[in-house]
Every structure is written in C-alpha cells, then in structure tokens.
Amino acid sequence: MPSISDIALGGYAVVATGLTLLILAVVDACNLVNVPPIAEAGGLSQEECYAMSSAMIKSAPRGKETAGEILVMFFHVLVRIEQNFFLASAAAAWFTLFKCSDSARKPFHLFLAVLSVCCAASDATFAGFPGLGSTGLELSDAAKASVVLPFIPVWTVLGVLNGLAFLGAKEKTA
C-alpha cells in the first residue's frame, strides 16, 4: 500500500509533468495558448499571442516604449522559467519517489508543501479570494473559474499531503 509520501510525491510528479507536457512553454511562452481553458474560451494562435504581446508594448505611454518592451519580455521569460521549474521539479519528484528513502524525502516534502501552498494562495488571489499578493486585473467570472477549478484544489491537496509527509517523515538517527 502506498504511503502518504508516495502519494504526495507521485501526485506532484504527475501534475508537474502534465503541466510541462500540456503547455510546452519550456521553449516558447506563447505555447500557453495550448492550455485547455484558453481553447475552450475560443482559442488563440501563437501568432495572436505574439500580436497581443506586441500590442501591449505599443500601448506603453509615450516615451516609455522600452519599459513596455522589457515588461512584456519579462512576462515571456517568467512563463518559460515557470515551465522549466515544473520540468525540473517533476524530474526531481520522480527521482525522489523511486530512489530516496523516507528520511531523504523530508526536505523535498517541505519544499513541495511550501510551493503548493504558495501556488494555491497565488491562484486564489487571481480568483478573487484572499490569497498571496494582489492583482489590479479585473477578470471575468469565466477567467476566474479557469483558475479556481482545478488549480486551487489541486495545489491545496498537494500542499496538505506533502505537509503531512514532511511532518510524518522519520529522522535518521546516528
């Protein structure tokens, strides 16, 4: 029977691997158009994503075009960094799941518990709930629903499972 540690690590590994394969933003931030809620809301092509990014640059206040360009670049860079993070942490979760003892898993469970709580709290902010940080975006109910379901519950469950696995992991005694 799988332990809480096995379920927590396996759950995260599946979610992070799935996000990496679904989005494929490791190589291009505009691959975010592959996320199902975007497709279900009418869809966008990569070319439309690039055009929207260019329009955002052009909408910068006069004399601040370079600042607008850098801001858009950061959005694209951060999406790719997030995707690389999911790829790397998925690989680490799979390795830890199959190759590490319970005591060796403890630090990774702490990391995944904190990460999952931060992800849930960040998504909650965008869904209009109390969470982590703030946003000046006024999102439609449809956009909020794409964040609330399934991301907040998934991150919450993974946070709780990894927290329980962290608290329950036995320390190795000398």
Side-chain angles (χ1 to χ4, degrees), residues 5 9 92 96 100-115 162-163 165-167 169-172:
S5 177
L9 285 170
T96 304
C100 295
S101 66
D102 284 345
S103 62
R105 291 177 174 189
K106 189 168 182 157
F108 200 58
H109 283 302
L110 175 61
F111 168 75
L112 292 179
V114 172
L115 170 68
N162 278 287
F166 170 75
L167 295 172
K170 293 177 179 52
E171 292 286 334
K172 210 175 188 182

Side-chain angles (χ1 to χ4, degrees), residues 12 16 20 26 81-95 108 111:
Y12 179 81
T20 301
V26 169
I81 288 171
E82 176 189 66
Q83 285 299 289
N84 285 297
F85 171 81
F86 279 130
L87 175 62
S89 63
W94 287 116
F95 177 83
F108 200 58
F111 168 75

